[in-house]
Amino acid sequence: MIKEIARNLFNFIFLVLLQVVLLNHVEINGLFNPYLYVLFILLLPFETPKWLLLVTAFLLGLSVDWFSQSLGIHAFASVAMAYVRPHLLDFLAPRDGYDTGTKPNSEFMGLSWFFRYALILVLIHHFLLFFIQVFTFYQFFETLLRAILSSAFTLTLIVLSQLFTLKR
Amino acid sequence: MQNLLKFLYTYSFLILFLILEGVSIFLMVENNNFQRASYLQIAQTVTGKFYEQADNIKVYFSLRANNEILAKENIDLRNKLASFRKIIHEKKDSVIDTTYKQRYVYFSAKIINNTVSKQFNYITLNKGARDGVKLDMAVLSPKGIVGVVSGVSESFSTVLPVLNRNFKVSAKLRKSSFFGSLTWGGVSSETCILNDIPHHVQVHLGDTIVTTGYSGIFPEGVPIGVVKKAELKDGNFYTIQVKLTTDFRGLDYVTLVGDLKKQEREVLEKKMEQKADHD
């Protein structure tokens, strides 16, 4: 239990630092911005209490906000994503439920299950994020394109990170 | 009572969700770009220190390029100095104009944080109120405009750059002096958009766009960019795509410009407005 908390705390700090030091500065054509920090919410154990899920997501978003000078935006998108997560897990559950001691990652659930799971949550997060950032439906399709391309970029990084941990 | 508790328990997840989203929205509204200054006071001291550390490492990678830019600027300035000297020597007999005073002050600052990928980008500088930075000072790079100082704390300041949806400046074609308003448009870190140039003006690709100095923030004639594409919208006004001369991704050092006569000018303009209101 303690080990689990320590690992997640490390994940939290590592992903926030990676986001604000490196990934916030990655930009291709003004269209691709990866937001890999959401991986933290994806990888929390199945047994995480729902309230804790929301609170950690809020703190995660707020930390990224703090360093991106965009107070509230990432927090909003992250909390929304965390809210959807339990519903999505119910929806994607295998017939006999999730085994205890397993986690929602590709190691336990397989890459195709994990990809569907990540795809839906990342899309929700990025759509909210990009539309709140511009706060208008003016140039709707441009923002839409930006959200889709960035989601693809983030998903690629997420899948790569999974392959990397699998090998190890 | 029991029903109420039961209700609260059943929907606790939803209620917590709504509370947290409410807090997020509150934070967004509270800290939107018009009221940022107070938040920056607290945030900058923490994040400013952090970015300063990170930047200490990054600066080494761009030393060579920066040296080249500085050397070029030096030569430029020397040339200008030489031509001024000539003017002074030639006009030795003229009366010395004692009403003349320096109009602008310049000082340099280093960028310690910079984003180009968002819709509302900001730049953080390593100089603040202690060094004489004030709100609404112009920020320039050796190649052209960068933005306007939008927040100042004791030792740091933030800049609202051209690459921000809230940025707006009046700009003109250098050749014909017709002016319009320039905004970013949010598409790429290399282009922005100039509107309101009437259709009868000749606009050529490659024409230089410069500041007008009407706003009292930027000195007149600072380069902004060159015309990349011009098309008529509604038949009356051009929408001109401008390629920025400043490379926002490679920025390291910037020049801050303070207008010494800004107050005098504002007082005069306000007086006129009041007079107009009375009439």
Side-chain angles (χ1 to χ4, degrees), chain B residues 69-70 73 77 104-111 125 127 133 137-149 159 217-219 222 246 251-258:
Chain B
I69 293 172
L70 286 177
E73 211 186 353
L77 291 176
Y104 294 104
V105 279
Y106 296 82
F107 47 101
S108 96
K110 181 157 186 346
I111 290 178
L125 304 179
K127 298 239 165 114
V133 180
M137 274 186 168
V139 183
L140 313 178
S141 78
K143 290 179 188 162
I145 69 165
V146 174
V148 180
V149 174
V159 177
I217 293 173
F218 291 101
V222 178
T246 304
L251 275 183
D252 254 324
Y253 287 91
V254 290
T255 310
L256 287 154
V257 185

Side-chain angles (χ1 to χ4, degrees), chain B residues 54-263:
Chain B
D55 199 68
N56 279 341
I57 302 160
K58 271 192 280 181
V59 68
Y60 289 104
F61 296 106
S62 46
L63 273 182
R64 182 185 291 266
N66 276 324
N67 274 339
E68 267 169 34
I69 293 172
L70 286 177
K72 256 184 210 153
E73 211 186 353
N74 262 342
I75 291 167
D76 256 14
L77 291 176
R78 239 170 244 182
N79 285 335
K80 273 183 194 156
L81 189 66
S83 59
F84 276 126
R85 234 179 231 148
K86 203 174 149 207
I87 294 170
I88 291 170
H89 283 302
E90 278 170 359
K91 291 195 173 175
K92 252 188 181 155
D93 54 336
S94 69
V95 180
I96 293 167
D97 183 2
T98 50
T99 58
Y100 171 78
K101 263 190 194 153
Q102 189 181 358
R103 169 92 193 261
Y104 294 104
V105 279
Y106 296 82
F107 47 101
S108 96
K110 181 157 186 346
I111 290 178
I112 53 173
N113 184 34
N114 181 14
T115 61
V116 294
S117 58
K118 290 183 231 159
Q119 293 295 296
F120 296 95
N121 295 297
Y122 283 93
I123 296 174
T124 313
L125 304 179
N126 70 341
K127 298 239 165 114
R130 200 166 51 195
D131 312 285
V133 180
K134 293 198 181 89
L135 275 180
D136 288 343
M137 274 186 168
V139 183
L140 313 178
S141 78
K143 290 179 188 162
I145 69 165
V146 174
V148 180
V149 174
S150 65
V152 182
S153 73
E154 193 53 31
S155 41
F156 300 103
S157 54
T158 48
V159 177
L160 180 81
V162 179
L163 306 187
N164 185 309
R165 286 213 179 234
N166 287 333
F167 184 88
K168 203 168 188 184
V169 70
S170 91
K172 65 180 180 185
L173 292 156
R174 181 148 72 186
K175 265 188 213 157
S176 57
S177 283
F178 277 96
F179 68 95
S181 84
L182 183 114
T183 50
W184 176 32
V187 182
S188 102
S189 65
E190 284 163 6
T191 54
C192 55
I193 291 163
L194 177 64
N195 282 314
D196 302 343
I197 298 285
H199 69 281
H200 59 81
V201 180
Q202 294 262 330
V203 181
H204 301 288
L205 295 190
D207 281 357
T208 308
I209 310 286
V210 297
T211 54
T212 56
Y214 294 167
S215 59
I217 293 173
F218 291 101
E220 194 192 336
V222 178
I224 297 172
V226 293
V227 176
K228 190 175 151 196
K229 201 170 137 194
E231 48 188 25
L232 277 173
K233 278 244 169 94
D234 317 327
N236 287 325
F237 293 101
Y238 278 110
T239 299
I240 300 175
Q241 282 198 24
V242 180
K243 187 174 183 335
L244 290 163
T245 43
T246 304
D247 174 15
F248 279 85
R249 294 180 205 216
L251 275 183
D252 254 324
Y253 287 91
V254 290
T255 310
L256 287 154
V257 185
D259 187 348
L260 293 172
K261 297 197 173 166
K262 186 177 166 122
Q263 213 186 350

Side-chain angles (χ1 to χ4, degrees), chain A residues 17 20-21 24-30 33 35 50-55 58 62 65-73 75-77 79-80 82-83 86-87 132-135 138-139 142 146, chain B residues 12-14 16-17 20-25 27-29 31 36 39-40 42-44 46-47 50-51 54 58 113-120 122-124 158 165 185-189 249:
Chain A
L17 282 181
V20 300
V21 174
N24 267 359
H25 301 278
V26 174
E27 181 244 357
I28 304 166
N29 255 336
N33 315 125
Y35 292 102
K50 286 173 165 187
W51 63 269
L52 189 61
L53 200 64
L54 289 180
V55 172
F58 181 69
L62 210 58
D65 275 332
W66 188 267
F67 286 99
S68 322
Q69 309 197 350
S70 60
L71 220 53
I73 295 175
F76 186 92
V79 170
Y83 178 76
H87 300 292
I132 295 169
Q133 257 179 20
V134 293
F135 213 74
Y138 169 69
Q139 293 179 326
E142 201 190 296
R146 196 178 277 140
Chain B
S12 58
F13 183 49
L14 181 66
L16 183 63
F17 166 67
L20 289 176
E21 294 295 52
V23 173
S24 304
I25 292 171
L27 286 173
M28 272 183 241
V29 175
N31 295 292
R36 297 182 65 84
Y39 150 71
L40 289 172
I42 325 161
Q44 278 178 352
V46 182
T47 52
F50 172 78
Y51 282 125
K58 271 192 280 181
N113 184 34
N114 181 14
T115 61
V116 294
S117 58
K118 290 183 231 159
Q119 293 295 296
F120 296 95
Y122 283 93
I123 296 174
T124 313
T158 48
R165 286 213 179 234
V187 182
S188 102
S189 65
R249 294 180 205 216

Side-chain angles (χ1 to χ4, degrees), chain A residues 95-107:
Chain A
R95 210 175 316 143
D96 35 0
Y98 298 102
D99 297 334
T100 44
T102 59
K103 279 192 206 165
N105 60 17
S106 61
E107 192 184 342

